[in-house]
Amino acid sequence: MKILILLILTSCSSLHYKVIDKKIGKDVLSIIEEFKRDHLKYLHSEMEDTIEFRFVDSHMVNRRMIAGECTIGLDTAIISLDYTNWMGLDYKASKNLIYHELGHCVLGKKHNDLTDGDYALDIMHSSLNVKEMGENEIQELFR
């Protein structure tokens, strides 16, 4: 099994990371920076969590293929992302997935599976089939 690992350590003054794949690293780093700005904007505090991102092949939980998973340890949160799924996502879907997993790991959010027809009403929906993550959805995530 091939495993790609991207390690990201964040603190209030800097962001340290090791890039294994430049495209993945650039996308994840850009989205993390957006999340940090939104965290500051809505919560009026710096994000100080230590997060490790792992890109794995065929990520399964309870015999179900999943796009991402957050596991919180004593001093590190680990976000595991399915590599094949990640490579097929556009920027909007990548941002939704990273914000969703950071919602679990950083904000302590649970799934909210309310829908409007075929679309989720909340970025924390377990399907991630969100129409558009606009300002209202981002603000709701940080409440």
Side-chain angles (χ1 to χ4, degrees):
M1 175 187 270
K2 180 181 172 185
I3 298 177
L4 297 176
I5 297 175
L6 172 65
L7 180 64
I8 297 181
L9 303 173
T10 64
S11 70
C12 46
S13 61
S14 64
L15 178 66
H16 304 281
Y17 63 98
K18 179 179 179 186
V19 177
I20 302 299
D21 180 306
K22 290 183 194 288
K23 181 182 183 315
I24 292 174
K26 180 181 177 197
D27 290 349
V28 171
L29 181 58
S30 169
I31 296 167
I32 292 271
E33 288 299 324
E34 285 183 63
F35 186 90
K36 286 173 65 177
R37 283 191 299 274
D38 287 335
H39 190 281
L40 182 60
K41 178 179 179 178
Y42 294 111
L43 298 180
H44 310 290
S45 66
E46 298 282 350
M47 194 175 114
E48 298 182 19
D49 300 83
T50 300
I51 301 169
E52 179 179 318
F53 283 78
R54 295 180 182 182
F55 292 88
V56 298
D57 288 330
S58 303
H59 191 63
M60 304 281 286
V61 172
N62 296 329
R63 289 183 263 165
R64 268 185 7 156
M65 183 70 76
I66 63 169
E69 177 185 38
C70 167
T71 307
I72 300 175
L74 294 175
D75 45 340
T76 302
I78 298 170
I79 294 177
S80 299
L81 302 172
D82 181 86
Y83 179 75
T84 303
N85 178 71
W86 176 262
M87 293 308 291
L89 298 179
D90 62 16
Y91 187 81
K92 174 190 164 254
S94 298
K95 182 176 177 177
N96 286 353
L97 178 56
I98 295 293
Y99 268 60
H100 176 94
E101 295 307 330
L102 287 170
H104 288 307
C105 286
V106 175
L107 303 174
K109 298 283 186 170
K110 305 283 185 211
H111 285 141
N112 178 357
D113 286 342
L114 293 175
T115 61
D116 176 18
D118 294 334
Y119 293 98
L121 293 174
D122 192 303
I123 190 63
M124 294 311 296
H125 193 283
S126 57
S127 76
L128 292 176
N129 192 21
V130 178
K131 278 186 192 176
E132 189 67 43
M133 190 168 58
E135 195 66 27
N136 291 337
E137 289 75 18
I138 293 170
Q139 187 173 8
E140 184 64 31
L141 176 66
F142 286 93
R143 283 189 194 174

